[in-house]
Coordinates of all heavy atoms in Angstrom, one line a residue:
M1 N -7.6 30.9 18.5 CA -8.8 30.5 17.7 C -8.5 30.0 16.3 O -9.0 29.1 15.9 CB -9.8 31.8 17.7 CG -11.1 31.4 17.1 SD -12.1 30.4 18.1 CE -13.6 31.2 18.0
R2 N -7.6 30.8 15.7 CA -7.2 30.3 14.4 C -6.6 28.9 14.3 O -6.9 28.2 13.4 CB -6.1 31.2 13.8 CG -6.8 32.4 13.0 CD -5.6 33.2 12.3 NE -6.3 34.5 12.0 CZ -5.7 35.3 11.3 NH1 -4.5 35.2 10.8 NH2 -6.3 36.5 11.0
S3 N -5.7 28.6 15.2 CA -5.2 27.2 15.2 C -6.4 26.2 15.4 O -6.2 25.1 14.7 CB -4.2 27.1 16.4 OG -4.8 27.2 17.6
E4 N -7.3 26.5 16.2 CA -8.5 25.6 16.3 C -9.3 25.4 15.0 O -9.6 24.4 14.5 CB -9.4 25.9 17.4 CG -8.8 25.8 18.8 CD -8.4 24.4 19.1 OE1 -9.2 23.5 18.8 OE2 -7.3 24.2 19.6
I5 N -9.4 26.6 14.2 CA -10.1 26.5 13.0 C -9.3 25.7 11.9 O -9.9 25.0 11.2 CB -10.4 28.1 12.5 CG1 -11.4 28.6 13.4 CG2 -11.0 28.0 11.1 CD1 -11.6 30.1 13.2
S6 N -8.0 26.0 11.9 CA -7.2 25.3 10.9 C -6.9 23.9 11.2 O -6.7 23.1 10.2 CB -5.8 26.1 10.8 OG -5.1 25.9 12.0
R7 N -7.1 23.4 12.4 CA -7.0 22.0 12.8 C -8.4 21.4 12.6 O -9.2 21.5 13.3 CB -6.6 21.8 14.2 CG -5.2 21.5 14.4 CD -5.0 21.1 15.8 NE -4.6 22.2 16.6 CZ -4.7 22.3 18.0 NH1 -5.2 21.3 18.6 NH2 -4.3 23.4 18.6
R8 N -8.4 20.6 11.5 CA -9.6 19.8 11.2 C -9.5 18.4 11.7 O -8.5 17.8 11.7 CB -9.9 19.8 9.6 CG -10.2 21.1 9.1 CD -10.6 20.9 7.8 NE -11.0 22.3 7.1 CZ -11.1 22.5 5.9 NH1 -11.1 21.6 5.0 NH2 -11.5 23.7 5.6
R9 N -10.6 18.0 12.3 CA -10.6 16.6 12.7 C -10.6 15.7 11.6 O -11.3 15.9 10.6 CB -12.0 16.5 13.5 CG -12.0 15.3 14.4 CD -13.2 15.3 15.2 NE -13.4 13.9 15.6 CZ -14.6 13.3 16.0 NH1 -15.5 14.1 16.1 NH2 -14.6 12.0 16.3
A10 N -9.8 14.7 11.7 CA -9.8 13.6 10.7 C -11.1 13.0 10.4 O -11.9 12.8 11.3 CB -8.7 12.6 11.0
S11 N -11.5 12.8 9.2 CA -12.7 12.2 8.8 C -12.7 10.8 9.2 O -11.7 10.2 9.4 CB -13.0 12.3 7.4 OG -12.1 11.6 6.6
A12 N -14.0 10.2 9.3 CA -14.0 8.8 9.7 C -13.2 7.9 8.7 O -12.6 7.0 9.1 CB -15.4 8.4 9.8
S13 N -13.4 8.2 7.4 CA -12.6 7.3 6.4 C -11.1 7.4 6.6 O -10.4 6.6 6.4 CB -13.1 7.7 5.0 OG -12.9 9.1 4.7
A14 N -10.7 8.6 6.9 CA -9.2 8.8 7.0 C -8.7 8.1 8.3 O -7.7 7.5 8.3 CB -8.8 10.3 7.2
E15 N -9.6 8.2 9.3 CA -9.2 7.4 10.6 C -9.1 5.9 10.3 O -8.3 5.2 10.7 CB -10.1 7.7 11.7 CG -10.0 9.1 12.3 CD -11.0 9.4 13.3 OE1 -11.5 8.4 14.0 OE2 -11.2 10.6 13.7
E16 N -10.2 5.4 9.5 CA -10.3 4.0 9.2 C -9.1 3.6 8.3 O -8.5 2.5 8.5 CB -11.6 3.7 8.4 CG -11.7 2.2 8.3 CD -13.2 1.8 8.2 OE1 -13.8 2.3 7.3 OE2 -13.7 1.0 9.0
A17 N -8.7 4.4 7.4 CA -7.6 4.1 6.5 C -6.2 4.0 7.4 O -5.4 3.2 7.1 CB -7.4 5.2 5.5
A18 N -6.1 4.9 8.4 CA -5.0 4.9 9.2 C -4.9 3.6 10.0 O -3.8 3.0 10.2 CB -4.9 6.1 10.0
T19 N -6.0 3.2 10.6 CA -6.2 2.0 11.3 C -5.8 0.8 10.5 O -4.9 -0.1 10.9 CB -7.6 1.9 11.9 OG1 -7.8 2.9 12.8 CG2 -7.7 0.6 12.6
L20 N -6.3 0.7 9.3 CA -6.0 -0.4 8.4 C -4.5 -0.4 8.0 O -4.0 -1.5 8.0 CB -6.9 -0.3 7.2 CG -8.3 -0.8 7.3 CD1 -9.2 -0.4 6.1 CD2 -8.4 -2.2 7.7
A21 N -4.0 0.8 7.8 CA -2.5 0.8 7.4 C -1.7 0.3 8.6 O -0.7 -0.5 8.4 CB -2.1 2.2 7.1
A22 N -2.0 0.7 9.7 CA -1.2 0.2 10.9 C -1.3 -1.3 11.2 O -0.4 -2.0 11.4 CB -1.6 1.1 12.2
M23 N -2.6 -1.7 11.0 CA -2.8 -3.2 11.3 C -2.2 -4.0 10.1 O -1.7 -5.1 10.3 CB -4.3 -3.4 11.4 CG -5.0 -2.9 12.7 SD -4.1 -3.4 14.1 CE -4.5 -5.1 14.1
R24 N -2.2 -3.5 8.9 CA -1.7 -4.2 7.8 C -0.2 -4.4 8.0 O 0.4 -5.5 7.8 CB -1.9 -3.5 6.4 CG -1.3 -4.2 5.3 CD -1.6 -3.4 4.0 NE -1.4 -4.2 2.9 CZ -0.2 -4.6 2.4 NH1 0.9 -4.2 3.0 NH2 -0.1 -5.2 1.3
K25 N 0.5 -3.3 8.4 CA 1.9 -3.4 8.8 C 2.2 -4.5 9.9 O 3.1 -5.3 9.6 CB 2.5 -2.0 9.1 CG 3.9 -2.0 9.5 CD 4.4 -0.6 9.8 CE 5.9 -0.6 10.1 NZ 6.4 0.6 10.5
W26 N 1.5 -4.4 10.9 CA 1.6 -5.4 11.9 C 1.4 -6.8 11.4 O 2.1 -7.8 11.6 CB 0.6 -5.2 13.1 CG 0.5 -6.4 13.9 CD1 1.4 -6.8 14.9 CD2 -0.5 -7.3 13.9 NE1 1.0 -8.0 15.4 CE2 -0.2 -8.4 14.9 CE3 -1.7 -7.5 13.1 CZ2 -1.0 -9.5 15.0 CZ3 -2.5 -8.6 13.4 CH2 -2.1 -9.6 14.3
F27 N 0.2 -7.0 10.6 CA -0.1 -8.3 10.1 C 0.9 -9.0 9.3 O 1.3 -10.1 9.4 CB -1.5 -8.3 9.5 CG -2.0 -9.7 9.1 CD1 -2.5 -10.5 10.0 CD2 -1.9 -10.1 7.8 CE1 -3.1 -11.8 9.6 CE2 -2.4 -11.4 7.4 CZ -3.0 -12.2 8.4
F28 N 1.4 -8.2 8.3 CA 2.3 -8.7 7.3 C 3.8 -8.8 7.8 O 4.6 -9.4 7.1 CB 2.1 -8.1 6.0 CG 0.9 -8.5 5.3 CD1 -0.1 -7.7 5.3 CD2 0.9 -9.8 4.7 CE1 -1.3 -8.0 4.6 CE2 -0.4 -10.1 4.0 CZ -1.5 -9.3 4.0
T29 N 4.2 -8.2 8.9 CA 5.5 -8.3 9.4 C 5.7 -9.3 10.6 O 6.8 -9.7 10.9 CB 6.1 -6.9 9.9 OG1 5.1 -6.5 11.0 CG2 6.1 -5.9 8.8
R30 N 4.6 -9.9 11.1 CA 4.7 -10.9 12.1 C 5.0 -12.3 11.5 O 4.7 -12.4 10.3 CB 3.4 -10.9 13.0 CG 2.2 -11.5 12.2 CD 1.0 -11.6 13.1 NE -0.1 -12.2 12.3 CZ -0.1 -13.4 11.9 NH1 0.7 -14.3 12.2 NH2 -1.3 -13.9 11.2
K31 N 5.5 -13.1 12.3 CA 5.7 -14.5 11.9 C 4.3 -15.2 11.5 O 3.4 -15.1 12.3 CB 6.5 -15.4 12.9 CG 7.8 -14.8 13.2 CD 8.6 -15.6 14.2 CE 10.0 -15.0 14.4 NZ 10.7 -15.8 15.3
P32 N 4.3 -15.9 10.4 CA 3.1 -16.5 10.0 C 2.5 -17.5 11.0 O 1.2 -17.5 11.2 CB 3.3 -17.3 8.8 CG 4.6 -16.6 8.2 CD 5.4 -16.1 9.4
D33 N 3.3 -18.2 11.7 CA 2.8 -19.2 12.7 C 2.5 -18.6 14.1 O 2.2 -19.3 15.0 CB 3.8 -20.4 12.9 CG 5.2 -19.9 13.2 OD1 5.5 -18.8 13.1 OD2 5.9 -20.9 13.6
A34 N 2.8 -17.3 14.3 CA 2.5 -16.7 15.6 C 1.0 -16.4 15.8 O 0.4 -15.8 15.0 CB 3.4 -15.3 15.6
G35 N 0.6 -16.9 16.9 CA -0.8 -16.7 17.3 C -1.1 -15.2 17.7 O -0.1 -14.5 17.9
F36 N -2.3 -14.8 17.8 CA -2.5 -13.5 18.3 C -4.0 -13.4 18.7 O -4.8 -14.3 18.4 CB -2.4 -12.5 17.0 CG -3.1 -12.8 15.8 CD1 -4.5 -12.3 15.7 CD2 -2.7 -13.5 14.8 CE1 -5.3 -12.5 14.6 CE2 -3.5 -13.8 13.6 CZ -4.7 -13.3 13.6
V37 N -4.2 -12.4 19.5 CA -5.6 -12.0 20.0 C -5.6 -10.5 19.8 O -4.8 -9.7 20.1 CB -5.7 -12.3 21.5 CG1 -7.0 -11.7 22.1 CG2 -5.6 -13.8 21.8
L38 N -6.8 -10.2 19.1 CA -7.0 -8.8 18.8 C -8.1 -8.3 19.6 O -9.1 -9.0 19.7 CB -7.3 -8.6 17.3 CG -6.2 -8.9 16.4 CD1 -6.6 -8.8 14.9 CD2 -5.0 -8.0 16.5
T39 N -8.0 -7.1 20.1 CA -9.2 -6.5 20.7 C -9.5 -5.1 20.0 O -8.6 -4.5 19.6 CB -9.0 -6.1 22.3 OG1 -7.8 -5.3 22.3 CG2 -8.8 -7.4 23.0
D40 N -10.8 -4.9 19.7 CA -11.3 -3.8 19.1 C -10.9 -3.6 17.7 O -10.9 -2.6 16.9 CB -10.9 -2.5 19.8 CG -11.3 -2.4 21.3 OD1 -12.5 -2.9 21.5 OD2 -10.7 -1.8 22.1
F41 N -10.4 -4.7 17.1 CA -10.2 -4.8 15.6 C -10.5 -6.3 15.1 O -10.0 -7.2 15.8 CB -8.7 -4.5 15.3 CG -8.4 -4.5 13.7 CD1 -8.6 -3.4 13.0 CD2 -8.0 -5.7 13.2 CE1 -8.4 -3.4 11.7 CE2 -7.8 -5.8 11.8 CZ -8.0 -4.6 11.1
P42 N -11.3 -6.3 14.1 CA -12.0 -5.3 13.3 C -13.1 -4.7 14.1 O -13.8 -5.4 14.8 CB -12.3 -5.9 12.0 CG -12.4 -7.4 12.3 CD -11.4 -7.6 13.5
A43 N -13.2 -3.4 13.8 CA -14.3 -2.7 14.5 C -15.5 -2.3 13.5 O -16.5 -1.9 14.0 CB -13.9 -1.3 15.2
T44 N -15.2 -2.5 12.3 CA -16.2 -2.2 11.2 C -16.3 -3.4 10.2 O -15.3 -4.2 10.2 CB -15.9 -0.9 10.5 OG1 -14.8 -1.2 9.6 CG2 -15.8 0.4 11.4
L45 N -17.4 -3.4 9.5 CA -17.6 -4.5 8.5 C -16.5 -4.4 7.5 O -15.9 -5.4 7.1 CB -18.9 -4.5 8.0 CG -19.3 -5.6 6.9 CD1 -19.0 -7.0 7.6 CD2 -20.7 -5.4 6.4
L46 N -16.1 -3.2 7.0 CA -15.0 -3.0 6.0 C -13.7 -3.6 6.6 O -13.0 -4.3 5.8 CB -14.9 -1.5 5.8 CG -13.7 -1.1 4.8 CD1 -13.9 -1.8 3.5 CD2 -13.6 0.3 4.7
Q47 N -13.4 -3.2 7.9 CA -12.2 -3.8 8.5 C -12.2 -5.3 8.5 O -11.2 -5.9 8.2 CB -12.0 -3.2 9.8 CG -11.6 -1.7 9.9 CD -11.5 -1.1 11.3 OE1 -11.7 -1.8 12.2 NE2 -11.2 0.1 11.3
A48 N -13.4 -5.9 8.8 CA -13.5 -7.3 8.9 C -13.3 -8.0 7.5 O -12.6 -9.0 7.4 CB -14.8 -7.7 9.5
K49 N -13.8 -7.3 6.4 CA -13.6 -7.9 5.1 C -12.2 -7.8 4.6 O -11.7 -8.6 4.0 CB -14.6 -7.2 4.2 CG -16.1 -7.7 4.4 CD -17.0 -7.1 3.4 CE -18.4 -7.7 3.8 NZ -19.4 -7.4 2.8
V50 N -11.6 -6.6 5.0 CA -10.1 -6.5 4.6 C -9.3 -7.5 5.3 O -8.4 -8.1 4.8 CB -9.7 -5.0 4.9 CG1 -8.2 -4.8 4.7 CG2 -10.5 -4.0 3.9
F51 N -9.6 -7.7 6.6 CA -8.9 -8.6 7.4 C -9.0 -10.0 6.9 O -8.0 -10.7 6.8 CB -9.2 -8.5 8.9 CG -8.4 -9.2 9.8 CD1 -7.1 -9.0 9.9 CD2 -8.9 -10.2 10.8 CE1 -6.3 -9.7 10.8 CE2 -8.2 -10.9 11.6 CZ -6.8 -10.6 11.7
D52 N -10.2 -10.3 6.5 CA -10.4 -11.7 5.8 C -9.5 -11.8 4.5 O -9.0 -13.0 4.3 CB -11.8 -11.8 5.4 CG -12.9 -11.9 6.6 OD1 -12.4 -12.2 7.7 OD2 -14.0 -11.8 6.3
E53 N -9.4 -10.8 3.8 CA -8.5 -10.8 2.6 C -7.0 -11.1 3.0 O -6.3 -11.8 2.4 CB -8.7 -9.6 1.7 CG -10.0 -9.4 1.1 CD -10.2 -8.1 0.3 OE1 -9.2 -7.4 0.1 OE2 -11.2 -7.9 -0.2
W54 N -6.6 -10.3 4.1 CA -5.2 -10.6 4.6 C -5.0 -12.0 5.0 O -4.0 -12.6 4.6 CB -4.9 -9.7 5.7 CG -4.9 -8.1 5.3 CD1 -5.1 -7.6 4.1 CD2 -5.0 -7.2 6.4 NE1 -5.0 -6.3 4.3 CE2 -5.0 -5.9 5.6 CE3 -5.0 -7.1 7.7 CZ2 -5.1 -4.7 6.2 CZ3 -5.0 -5.8 8.4 CH2 -5.1 -4.7 7.6
L55 N -6.0 -12.6 5.7 CA -5.8 -13.9 6.2 C -5.8 -14.9 4.9 O -5.0 -15.8 4.9 CB -7.1 -14.3 7.0 CG -7.1 -13.7 8.4 CD1 -8.4 -13.8 8.9 CD2 -6.1 -14.3 9.4
D56 N -6.7 -14.7 3.9 CA -6.6 -15.5 2.7 C -5.3 -15.4 2.1 O -4.7 -16.4 1.6 CB -7.8 -15.0 1.8 CG -9.1 -15.6 2.3 OD1 -9.2 -16.5 3.1 OD2 -10.0 -15.1 1.7
A57 N -4.7 -14.1 2.0 CA -3.4 -14.0 1.3 C -2.3 -14.8 1.9 O -1.3 -15.2 1.3 CB -3.1 -12.5 1.3
R58 N -2.3 -15.0 3.2 CA -1.3 -15.7 4.0 C -1.7 -17.2 4.3 O -1.0 -17.9 5.0 CB -1.0 -15.1 5.3 CG -0.2 -13.8 4.9 CD 0.4 -13.1 6.2 NE 1.3 -13.9 6.9 CZ 2.1 -13.4 7.9 NH1 2.1 -12.1 8.1 NH2 2.9 -14.2 8.5
D59 N -2.9 -17.6 3.6 CA -3.4 -19.0 3.9 C -3.6 -19.2 5.4 O -3.3 -20.3 5.8 CB -2.6 -19.9 3.2 CG -3.3 -21.3 3.0 OD1 -4.5 -21.3 2.9 OD2 -2.7 -22.4 3.0
E60 N -4.1 -18.2 6.1 CA -4.4 -18.4 7.6 C -5.8 -18.3 7.7 O -6.6 -17.9 6.9 CB -3.7 -17.2 8.3 CG -2.2 -17.3 8.2 CD -1.5 -16.3 9.1 OE1 -1.5 -16.5 10.4 OE2 -1.1 -15.3 8.5
C61 N -6.3 -18.7 9.0 CA -7.7 -18.6 9.4 C -7.8 -18.2 10.8 O -6.8 -18.5 11.6 CB -8.5 -19.8 8.9 SG -8.0 -21.3 9.9
L62 N -9.0 -17.8 11.2 CA -9.3 -17.5 12.7 C -9.8 -18.7 13.3 O -10.6 -19.5 12.6 CB -10.3 -16.3 12.7 CG -9.8 -15.0 12.2 CD1 -11.0 -13.9 12.2 CD2 -8.7 -14.4 12.9
D63 N -9.6 -18.9 14.6 CA -10.2 -20.0 15.3 C -11.5 -19.6 15.8 O -12.5 -20.4 16.1 CB -9.3 -20.4 16.5 CG -8.0 -21.0 16.1 OD1 -8.0 -21.7 15.0 OD2 -7.0 -20.8 16.7
G64 N -11.8 -18.3 16.2 CA -13.0 -17.9 16.7 C -13.0 -16.4 16.8 O -12.0 -15.8 16.9
V65 N -14.2 -15.7 17.0 CA -14.4 -14.3 17.2 C -15.3 -14.2 18.4 O -16.4 -14.9 18.4 CB -14.9 -13.7 16.0 CG1 -15.3 -12.2 16.2 CG2 -13.9 -13.8 14.8
V66 N -15.0 -13.4 19.3 CA -15.9 -13.1 20.4 C -16.4 -11.6 20.2 O -15.6 -10.7 20.3 CB -15.1 -13.2 21.8 CG1 -16.2 -12.9 23.0 CG2 -14.7 -14.7 22.0
A67 N -17.7 -11.4 20.1 CA -18.3 -10.1 20.1 C -18.6 -9.6 21.4 O -19.2 -10.2 22.2 CB -19.5 -10.2 19.1
G68 N -17.9 -8.5 21.7 CA -18.1 -7.9 23.2 C -19.3 -6.9 23.1 O -19.9 -6.7 22.0
P69 N -19.7 -6.4 24.2 CA -20.7 -5.5 24.3 C -20.4 -4.2 23.3 O -19.4 -3.7 23.3 CB -20.8 -4.9 25.7 CG -20.0 -6.1 26.4 CD -19.0 -6.6 25.4
G70 N -21.5 -3.8 22.7 CA -21.4 -2.7 21.7 C -20.8 -3.0 20.4 O -20.7 -2.1 19.4
S71 N -20.7 -4.3 20.1 CA -20.1 -4.7 18.8 C -21.2 -4.3 17.7 O -22.4 -4.6 18.0 CB -19.9 -6.2 18.7 OG -18.8 -6.6 19.6
H72 N -20.7 -4.0 16.6 CA -21.7 -3.6 15.5 C -22.4 -4.9 15.0 O -21.8 -6.0 14.9 CB -20.8 -3.1 14.3 CG -20.6 -1.6 14.4 ND1 -21.3 -0.7 13.7 CD2 -19.5 -1.0 15.1 CE1 -20.7 0.5 14.0 NE2 -19.8 0.4 14.8
E73 N -23.7 -4.7 14.8 CA -24.5 -5.9 14.5 C -24.0 -6.5 13.1 O -24.0 -7.7 12.9 CB -26.0 -5.4 14.3 CG -26.9 -6.7 14.1 CD -28.4 -6.2 14.1 OE1 -28.7 -5.4 14.8 OE2 -29.1 -6.9 13.4
S74 N -23.5 -5.7 12.2 CA -23.0 -6.1 10.9 C -21.7 -7.1 11.2 O -21.6 -8.1 10.4 CB -22.6 -5.0 10.0 OG -21.6 -4.2 10.6
L75 N -20.9 -6.8 12.2 CA -19.8 -7.6 12.5 C -20.2 -9.0 13.1 O -19.8 -10.1 12.7 CB -18.8 -7.0 13.4 CG -17.9 -5.9 12.9 CD1 -17.2 -5.3 14.1 CD2 -16.9 -6.4 12.0
V76 N -21.2 -9.0 13.9 CA -21.7 -10.1 14.6 C -22.3 -11.0 13.4 O -22.0 -12.2 13.5 CB -22.8 -9.8 15.7 CG1 -23.5 -11.0 16.1 CG2 -22.1 -9.0 16.8
T77 N -23.1 -10.4 12.7 CA -23.6 -11.2 11.5 C -22.7 -11.8 10.6 O -22.7 -12.9 10.3 CB -24.7 -10.3 10.7 OG1 -25.7 -9.8 11.5 CG2 -25.2 -11.1 9.5
H78 N -21.6 -11.0 10.3 CA -20.5 -11.5 9.4 C -19.9 -12.7 9.9 O -19.7 -13.8 9.2 CB -19.5 -10.3 9.2 CG -18.3 -10.8 8.4 ND1 -18.4 -10.9 7.0 CD2 -17.1 -10.9 8.8 CE1 -17.2 -11.2 6.5 NE2 -16.4 -11.2 7.6
Y79 N -19.4 -12.6 11.2 CA -18.6 -13.7 11.7 C -19.6 -14.9 12.2 O -19.1 -16.0 12.1 CB -17.9 -13.3 13.0 CG -16.6 -12.4 12.5 CD1 -16.5 -11.0 12.8 CD2 -15.6 -13.0 11.7 CE1 -15.4 -10.4 12.4 CE2 -14.6 -12.3 11.3 CZ -14.4 -11.0 11.6 OH -13.3 -10.3 11.1
H80 N -20.8 -14.6 12.5 CA -21.9 -15.7 12.6 C -22.0 -16.6 11.4 O -22.0 -17.7 11.3 CB -23.2 -15.2 13.1 CG -24.2 -16.1 13.4 ND1 -24.1 -17.1 14.3 CD2 -25.3 -16.5 12.6 CE1 -25.1 -17.9 14.2 NE2 -25.9 -17.6 13.2
Q81 N -22.1 -15.8 10.2 CA -22.2 -16.5 8.9 C -21.0 -17.3 8.5 O -21.2 -18.3 7.9 CB -22.5 -15.5 7.8 CG -23.8 -14.8 7.9 CD -24.1 -13.7 7.0 OE1 -23.2 -13.1 6.4 NE2 -25.4 -13.4 6.7
L82 N -19.9 -16.9 9.0 CA -18.6 -17.7 8.8 C -18.4 -18.8 9.7 O -17.4 -19.5 9.6 CB -17.4 -16.6 8.8 CG -17.3 -15.7 7.7 CD1 -16.2 -14.7 8.0 CD2 -17.3 -16.3 6.2
G83 N -19.3 -18.8 10.7 CA -19.2 -19.9 11.8 C -18.1 -19.7 12.7 O -17.6 -20.6 13.5
L84 N -17.6 -18.4 12.9 CA -16.6 -18.1 13.8 C -17.0 -17.5 15.1 O -16.2 -17.3 16.0 CB -15.6 -17.2 13.2 CG -14.8 -17.8 11.9 CD1 -14.1 -16.7 11.2 CD2 -13.9 -18.8 12.4
L85 N -18.2 -17.1 15.2 CA -18.7 -16.3 16.4 C -18.9 -17.2 17.6 O -19.4 -18.3 17.5 CB -20.1 -15.6 16.1 CG -20.5 -14.7 17.2 CD1 -19.6 -13.3 17.2 CD2 -21.9 -14.1 16.9
R86 N -18.2 -16.9 18.7 CA -18.3 -17.7 19.8 C -19.2 -16.9 21.0 O -18.9 -15.6 21.1 CB -16.8 -17.9 20.5 CG -16.0 -18.7 19.5 CD -16.4 -20.0 19.3 NE -15.6 -20.8 18.3 CZ -15.9 -21.1 17.2 NH1 -17.0 -20.9 16.7 NH2 -14.9 -21.8 16.4
E87 N -19.8 -17.5 21.7 CA -20.6 -17.0 22.7 C -19.8 -17.0 24.0 O -19.0 -17.9 24.3 CB -22.0 -17.8 23.0 CG -22.9 -17.8 21.8 CD -23.4 -16.5 21.4 OE1 -23.6 -15.7 22.4 OE2 -23.6 -16.2 20.2
I88 N -20.0 -16.0 24.9 CA -19.3 -15.9 26.1 C -19.5 -17.2 27.0 O -18.5 -17.7 27.5 CB -19.8 -14.6 26.9 CG1 -19.5 -13.3 26.1 CG2 -19.1 -14.6 28.2 CD1 -18.0 -13.1 26.0
E89 N -20.8 -17.6 27.0 CA -21.0 -18.8 27.8 C -20.2 -20.0 27.3 O -19.7 -20.9 28.1 CB -22.6 -19.2 27.7 CG -23.5 -18.2 28.3 CD -23.7 -17.1 27.4 OE1 -23.7 -17.1 26.1 OE2 -23.9 -15.9 27.9
E90 N -20.0 -20.1 26.0 CA -19.1 -21.2 25.5 C -17.7 -21.2 26.0 O -17.1 -22.2 26.4 CB -19.0 -21.1 23.8 CG -20.0 -21.8 23.0 CD -19.7 -21.5 21.6 OE1 -18.5 -22.1 21.1 OE2 -20.4 -20.8 20.9
L91 N -17.2 -20.0 26.1 CA -15.8 -19.8 26.6 C -15.6 -20.1 28.1 O -14.6 -20.5 28.6 CB -15.3 -18.3 26.3 CG -15.3 -18.1 24.8 CD1 -14.8 -16.6 24.5 CD2 -14.3 -19.0 23.9
A92 N -16.8 -19.8 28.8 CA -16.6 -20.0 30.4 C -16.7 -21.5 30.7 O -16.2 -21.8 31.8 CB -17.9 -19.2 31.0
A93 N -17.3 -22.3 29.8 CA -17.4 -23.8 30.1 C -16.2 -24.5 30.0 O -15.2 -24.1 29.5 CB -18.6 -24.3 29.1

């Protein structure tokens, strides 16, 4: 029982910081001209804005973003405003 009490679940902000740290390491160690497809990242508006800053720092840009079921409305709005949001129907055509 004590071990369960002493083991605290990481807070949401700590989990988000760990995710951003891992993704930052990946992003800045890959070759700049290497394409990529990400799933489940960014998952929050904060992650999206940080990712945008990383892209700007390397003078890169996204070709498009597909929002899957359950995507946060704030993410959908963010990428829609940037003109990057793609509809599933668009991709199927």
Side-chain angles (χ1 to χ4, degrees):
M1 183 73 137
R2 273 189 192 188
S3 63
E4 291 301 316
I5 293 171
S6 65
R7 258 194 267 158
R8 291 191 181 169
R9 192 171 160 205
S11 69
S13 61
E15 288 178 23
E16 186 154 61
T19 298
L20 284 170
M23 292 304 294
R24 184 183 191 286
K25 182 178 179 180
W26 162 79
F27 184 78
F28 285 104
T29 57
R30 70 177 180 71
K31 292 181 179 181
D33 59 347
F36 58 89
V37 173
L38 298 175
T39 56
D40 301 326
F41 182 87
T44 66
L45 184 57
L46 173 64
Q47 290 175 359
K49 289 183 176 189
V50 170
F51 191 55
D52 291 346
E53 290 176 9
W54 297 345
L55 289 163
D56 286 343
R58 287 184 63 162
D59 198 26
E60 295 182 77
C61 62
L62 297 174
D63 293 326
V65 174
V66 177
S71 296
H72 280 259
E73 189 174 326
S74 60
L75 283 175
V76 173
T77 301
H78 175 73
Y79 286 116
H80 178 72
Q81 290 173 342
L82 294 175
L84 294 170
L85 191 66
R86 304 289 182 252
E87 299 294 327
I88 298 291
E89 294 80 31
E90 269 181 70
L91 301 173

